[in-house]
Amino acid sequence: MIKINNLTKIYQSKDKQVVAFDNINLDIGEGEIFGVIGPSGAGKSTLIRCLNLLEEPTAGEVIIDGQDITKLSTYKLREARKEMGMIFQRFNLLKSRTVADNVAFPLEIAGKTKREITIKVAELLELVGLADKANNYPSQLSGGQQQRVGIARALANDPKVLLCDEATSALDPETTHSILELLKKINDKLGITIVIITHEMEVIKEICTKVAVLDKGTIAEHGDVIDIFTNPQAEVTKRFIERVINANVPEELLSRVTVANPDKGRLVKVSFIGESAAKPMVSELVHNFAIDANILYGNIDKIQGTPFGTLIIELTCENPSIIEDGINYLVEELEVKVEVIENEGSVLSSN
Amino acid sequence: MKEVFSLLIKDSGLLWQGILQTAYMVSVSMLLASLFGIPLGIGVVVSEEGNILENKAINLILSTFINITRSIPFIILMVALIPLTRIIVGTSIGTSAAVVSLTIGAVPFIGRIVEGALKEVDGGVIEAAQAMGANPWEIISKVLLPEALPSLVLGLTITAISLIGYSAIAGAIGAGGLGDIAIRYGYHRFQTDVMIKTVVLLVVIVQIIQNLGTYLARRLDHS
């Protein structure tokens, strides 16, 4: 649906160049909810603005539905933009227009008749759950409601693509959740491709199917959200994941474990996805190997409907080799990922 | 009591005529100046660097025009425009003659006021309109002007009030109106009561216009 080829954006001022991003390649499939995450200043807002040419890329192609939009004439570009919806961090609603008139705006631009507009606006407000607010002004609405108006407006011309530029960053967690639910519903119902730019890993975790991690103007890694979460490669990705899945053991506890059992114990971090999450691994360790398992940390989460969990367990046994057997059993029989934590440092860097 | 009353209504015919003349000069010049000044202000904003119709040359020309015309003192502008006024209205004396210089004096003033009001419009809203495929004309007519309307109304109120002041200056070269009465009767003929009455009337008129403008702007403001 969207193919980004060698996209580069360089801001040229008098005596210096600022590279927003360099040589980005991405392939976003139809109906996907594609997330782009990165720390601020990574160039993600510029990147999404290049998808509808609000920013002109310095080099590269943006192919949307088979058409390279960087090569379109001004008129054709405006027509292409009508096929793409966009929502913003600060909503960007017209404060002089009512909710209904804000939603009507893109329809007016597209030259729809009054009758068509009335019908479509009512339909859209129903979809976003704001039918009763049609005649209110944006200033009378909460942030979440304003973003709903933004979404209704973005969907007015039945776009194939919805671009979300930090759409939930100005909202509280609960409202963020409800907006994400709405986006997911729209994706299910209309099959629209959604591109989300965010710095919040929760957003990616909650609704994205694919994710690209943008750091310092390049893509650090990209792929299925579940793979990135369970097996992050880049440093920046690990930092982002730590924020939502905090598997750091308190230092006091760590020193107790390692100091108290220098050669009898092992501290392991076990990560499991899907099927293996349901297996009774701790009790198997205890029963089959006579290893004492002390759970220090546990977390189970859902990413794209797949259970995903982390356990930090202290394993102790009179015979250290039995611990090794137990760990091998976990890896080979139960197919979970096991990392042995050597010291504090390795906990922080492992994930 | 009777004396006070008769003093109050004395010269009322003259003053009423002054009010009508002032109203005529201000409203006609306001209308004409808006006709040119609003597009001028829009032109300055949209031709600016990074705006929807970026054009450095046009921006420089419009901006310079505004700055030059605004720096000429009104009384000098009036005198300088006498030949032009003769061509347009056939005479350089009277209310219609004053309208010419008042209009030309107010055009750059309105231009700057419109510029200021339009620049207050949130850039994000313009960006949203662009993202929806709006063309520059649609952005001007559906986004910039409606969003800036409350500030525009306040700005035009200021212009109207300034024009009342200018029209009084125009009275100095025989334009008619309340300013003219104040100068001819109040100042030249030492009729202090006429002077006071014209000043009071001007204060009342300015109050009415300002209150009306403020009320309207508040009604239009939904932020």
Side-chain angles (χ1 to χ4, degrees):
Chain A
M1 189 68 203
I2 304 175
K3 224 171 139 42
I4 300 170
N5 293 331
N6 309 317
L7 201 67
T8 301
K9 174 73 186 181
I10 297 165
Y11 288 102
Q12 183 80 52
S13 64
K14 267 186 202 117
D15 39 31
K16 63 171 184 179
Q17 285 189 337
V18 179
V19 179
F21 50 79
D22 189 24
N23 207 18
I24 302 273
N25 289 287
L26 281 177
D27 210 337
I28 301 171
E30 195 169 348
E32 269 177 11
I33 303 183
F34 194 99
V36 177
I37 190 165
S40 45
K44 37 188 207 311
S45 264
T46 312
L47 179 64
I48 202 165
R49 277 176 168 65
C50 282
L51 297 187
N52 59 3
L53 247 62
L54 285 177
E55 290 270 3
E56 210 164 321
T58 313
E61 296 176 320
V62 178
I63 298 164
I64 292 173
D65 211 11
Q67 163 172 263
D68 182 0
I69 63 155
T70 62
K71 296 200 170 54
L72 295 178
S73 65
T74 318
Y75 174 77
K76 284 251 175 80
L77 173 64
R78 283 204 287 265
E79 292 306 305
R81 279 175 176 167
K82 289 171 190 167
E83 313 256 292
M84 302 165 84
M86 188 168 193
I87 57 174
F88 305 85
Q89 179 172 8
R90 306 234 56 98
F91 325 127
N92 296 348
L93 302 176
L94 288 133
K95 59 185 195 307
S96 59
R97 284 181 173 229
T98 61
V99 166
D101 289 343
N102 262 289
V103 179
F105 186 91
L107 296 162
E108 289 170 21
I109 301 291
K112 296 277 162 59
T113 65
K114 272 219 159 78
R115 229 183 92 81
E116 287 173 304
I117 292 177
T118 317
I119 295 168
K120 187 78 191 177
V121 167
E123 211 175 277
L124 287 162
L125 288 179
E126 194 64 49
L127 177 73
V128 299
L130 283 177
D132 56 329
K133 301 276 186 229
N135 296 317
N136 286 64
Y137 283 92
S139 60
Q140 299 165 316
L141 304 183
S142 70
Q145 289 172 326
Q146 290 192 45
Q147 193 59 289
R148 282 168 187 271
V149 179
I151 292 171
R153 179 175 73 173
L155 297 175
N157 285 320
D158 302 314
K160 290 172 248 164
V161 176
L162 177 63
L163 307 174
C164 310
D165 182 19
E166 296 277 8
T168 58
S169 302
L171 304 173
D172 61 66
E174 203 165 316
T175 317
T176 295
H177 179 75
S178 77
I179 291 293
L180 293 178
E181 290 278 287
L182 176 62
L183 289 176
K184 197 164 190 160
K185 181 175 119 188
I186 288 161
N187 174 259
D188 282 346
K189 209 168 158 182
L190 310 174
I192 185 172
T193 308
I194 301 181
V195 183
I196 294 178
I197 294 287
T198 184
H199 64 266
E200 299 165 308
M201 204 63 184
E202 291 87 347
V203 173
I204 304 285
K205 194 182 86 182
E206 211 165 315
I207 65 165
C208 293
T209 46
K210 291 269 176 66
V211 63
V213 183
L214 200 61
D215 188 30
K216 299 188 186 87
T218 55
I219 291 189
E221 62 185 303
H222 68 107
D224 286 336
V225 169
I226 188 88
D227 295 337
I228 299 285
F229 260 86
T230 50
N231 195 14
Q233 301 299 317
E235 241 354 274
V236 58
T237 319
K238 288 177 185 170
R239 281 205 306 276
F240 271 118
I241 289 170
E242 252 171 43
R243 244 176 266 160
V244 280
I245 301 168
N246 177 16
N248 292 338
V249 183
E251 251 175 66
E252 309 79 59
L253 214 52
L254 253 185
S255 56
R256 186 185 70 87
V257 172
T258 45
V259 170
N261 304 298
D263 43 30
K264 284 190 266 186
R266 275 271 190 268
L267 194 61
V268 294
K269 179 174 157 191
V270 182
S271 317
F272 43 93
I273 341 168
E275 285 287 286
S276 56
K279 289 176 183 159
M281 68 180 116
V282 173
S283 61
E284 285 192 26
L285 280 178
V286 175
H287 286 135
N288 302 352
F289 295 90
I291 297 173
D292 281 334
N294 179 20
I295 299 174
L296 300 178
Y297 170 89
N299 173 59
I300 190 147
D301 221 322
K302 232 179 181 183
I303 299 164
Q304 294 306 300
T306 310
F308 165 67
T310 308
L311 272 182
I312 293 183
I313 322 173
E314 176 192 16
L315 302 173
T316 47
C317 187
E318 291 305 316
N319 186 349
S321 67
I322 293 183
I323 294 181
E324 297 306 318
D325 292 344
I327 290 172
N328 284 338
Y329 172 79
L330 288 181
V331 174
E332 276 151 32
E333 298 295 315
L334 300 183
E335 292 170 331
V336 296
K337 195 175 141 201
V338 180
E339 286 168 81
V340 178
I341 298 165
E342 304 285 352
N343 53 48
E344 292 104 286
S346 68
V347 188
L348 293 169
S349 63
S350 75
N351 204 321
Chain B
M1 190 64 210
K2 216 173 174 189
E3 280 144 30
V4 176
F5 185 70
S6 71
L7 189 69
L8 275 179
I9 61 158
K10 196 177 119 222
D11 306 315
S12 61
L14 177 77
L15 290 170
W16 179 243
Q17 193 196 5
I19 292 173
L20 290 182
Q21 285 176 340
T22 297
Y24 166 76
M25 287 190 291
V26 171
S27 54
V28 174
S29 54
M30 193 60 204
L31 201 75
L32 292 174
S34 301
L35 223 58
F36 295 101
I38 293 175
L40 177 65
I42 294 171
V44 174
V45 172
V46 297
S47 64
E48 226 173 38
E49 199 178 342
N51 214 303
I52 50 173
L53 288 171
E54 178 178 335
N55 188 320
K56 275 184 191 156
I58 287 181
N59 187 265
L60 189 71
I61 292 168
L62 296 180
S63 230
T64 316
F65 169 75
I66 291 179
N67 284 338
I68 291 175
T69 43
R70 282 205 63 196
S71 42
I72 302 171
F74 182 64
I75 190 126
I76 294 172
L77 186 74
M78 247 180 356
V79 175
L81 287 174
I82 286 176
L84 181 70
T85 309
R86 282 220 181 93
I87 295 170
I88 298 175
V89 292
T91 172
S92 64
I93 300 168
T95 45
S96 295
V99 164
V100 175
S101 45
L102 283 174
T103 302
I104 292 175
V107 165
F109 193 92
I110 291 183
R112 274 283 178 247
I113 284 197
V114 171
E115 182 192 358
L118 296 191
K119 274 188 180 164
E120 276 173 39
V121 175
D122 180 10
V125 180
I126 298 164
E127 196 179 54
Q130 283 178 309
M132 286 182 261
N135 63 36
W137 169 244
E138 286 165 331
I139 292 175
I140 292 168
S141 62
K142 286 175 182 286
V143 179
L144 284 177
L145 291 175
E147 288 290 289
L149 200 55
S151 326
L152 281 174
V153 167
L154 285 178
L156 292 178
T157 307
I158 294 173
T159 314
I161 288 169
S162 302
L163 276 177
I164 292 174
Y166 285 150
S167 76
I169 300 174
I173 61 159
L178 285 175
D180 181 41
I181 292 169
I183 290 167
R184 280 196 293 141
Y185 292 79
Y187 183 63
H188 290 151
R189 297 193 195 166
F190 304 107
Q191 291 180 328
T192 317
D193 61 320
V194 177
M195 173 80 95
I196 292 169
K197 280 177 193 167
T198 51
V199 171
V200 168
L201 280 173
L202 286 171
V203 169
V204 171
I205 291 171
V206 167
Q207 277 298 330
I208 291 171
I209 293 178
Q210 183 62 60
N211 288 346
L212 209 69
T214 311
Y215 169 78
L216 205 61
R218 202 173 294 156
R219 275 292 302 273
L220 292 167
D221 193 1
H222 298 291
S223 60

